[in-house]
Amino acid sequence: AIVSPHAGIKYSGAVSGAVYSCIQLPHTFVILGPNHKGIGSPAAVIASGEWEMPNGSVKINSTLAKAMMASTEYLQEDQYGHAQEHSLEIQLPFIQYLTTDFDIVPVVLRQLDLSVSMEVGSAISKAIKASNQAVVIVASTDFTHYEPQKIAETKDRMAIDRILALDPKGLYQTVISNDISMCGIIPTVIALQAALQMGAAKADLVKYMTSGDTTGDYQQVVGYGGIIIY
């Protein structure tokens, strides 16, 4: 699995590019992102068709998507939940730059309980293992939003340390208890749980930066972290 941001490419693209260039590209990506608008199903899957992107269309892996939904009642087919969301699409230019031979399973997630998140993560890992395919799970998230640089760095380090410790429950609790405005906490918890179920034993921070590194404004920054979990 990887953790990759989803801000404007001029702000967070260096982080996404760094993390995607560190991995062996599979044929299939399960891309998990937050549902910023809060519309549609709590865990909304697009299970068929393809996405039209500026660099070419991207096919949905319908077989894996349906297997994931069959593994848990919480994953539901729902295109409406994706209608106003950007956190998944922003990952695709980086993948398309590096390969053209791939498909995706797109999932957007609202705020879920920890127990539900863990169940969804286990269900995704079960479906992936049964598919016997090479798959990378992408957790699309930004970290702290609109706080001074030093505060953002401190808060983000707490969350990143839990990811590097392969501790999905600890990540959930740390983000909630320290009021860390990490929009993709649920996708990241689910990706961590799924990766652990598939045998992940280590995680590395590839790159961290904030919007201040681009704008020069360090009074209100957004944090971006690129992490590989393997």
Side-chain angles (χ1 to χ4, degrees):
I2 64 171
V3 176
S4 175
H6 56 243
I9 289 176
K10 69 178 180 179
Y11 299 109
S12 65
V15 175
S16 295
V19 74
Y20 278 106
S21 67
C22 281
I23 65 172
Q24 290 184 336
L25 298 170
H27 181 70
T28 299
F29 292 84
V30 173
I31 310 180
L32 313 175
N35 186 335
H36 288 91
K37 300 294 185 180
I39 60 176
S41 299
V45 182
I46 294 183
S48 62
E50 55 185 47
W51 281 6
E52 293 182 357
M53 295 293 295
N55 293 328
S57 295
V58 178
K59 292 182 179 180
I60 307 296
N61 187 321
S62 181
T63 301
L64 181 57
K66 291 176 181 177
M68 285 166 45
M69 291 188 295
S71 297
T72 174
E73 63 180 336
Y74 294 109
L75 289 170
Q76 298 179 346
E77 186 167 8
D78 176 21
Q79 296 195 24
Y80 182 61
H82 292 254
Q84 299 182 45
E85 186 51 56
H86 70 280
S87 61
L88 309 186
E89 287 90 337
I90 200 67
Q91 306 301 323
L92 297 182
F94 299 95
I95 302 172
Q96 288 180 305
Y97 181 81
L98 295 166
T99 182
T100 57
D101 183 23
F102 74 99
D103 55 30
I104 62 171
V105 178
V107 185
V108 290
L109 299 144
R110 295 165 65 179
Q111 188 65 30
L112 305 176
D113 291 341
L114 176 58
S115 61
V116 174
S117 301
M118 298 294 280
E119 179 179 324
V120 172
S122 296
I124 290 173
S125 71
K126 178 182 177 181
I128 290 173
K129 286 189 285 188
S131 75
N132 199 31
Q133 300 176 51
V135 177
V136 165
I137 302 169
V138 179
S140 177
T141 187
D142 299 332
F143 284 83
T144 294
H145 288 65
Y146 308 121
E147 295 200 50
Q149 176 82 8
K150 294 300 182 183
I151 293 175
E153 289 178 341
T154 299
K155 287 187 172 183
D156 291 349
R157 189 72 240 186
M158 288 190 285
I160 289 168
D161 282 348
R162 290 299 88 212
I163 299 171
L164 298 181
L166 304 178
D167 182 8
K169 293 181 180 179
L171 173 63
Y172 188 99
Q173 293 161 352
T174 295
V175 168
I176 299 300
S177 62
N178 292 281
D179 194 26
I180 302 172
S181 51
M182 178 182 176
C183 56
I185 173 59
I186 302 304
T188 309
V189 167
I190 290 173
L192 263 177
Q193 172 66 2
L196 284 168
Q197 293 289 310
M198 293 187 291
K202 190 176 180 182
D204 293 327
L205 176 63
V206 177
K207 188 175 180 67
Y208 176 83
M209 62 183 292
T210 72
S211 58
D213 297 320
T214 299
T215 66
D217 177 6
Y218 291 101
Q219 296 306 306
Q220 292 194 57
V221 306
V222 180
Y224 315 119
I227 300 168
I228 55 174
I229 302 160
Y230 58 101

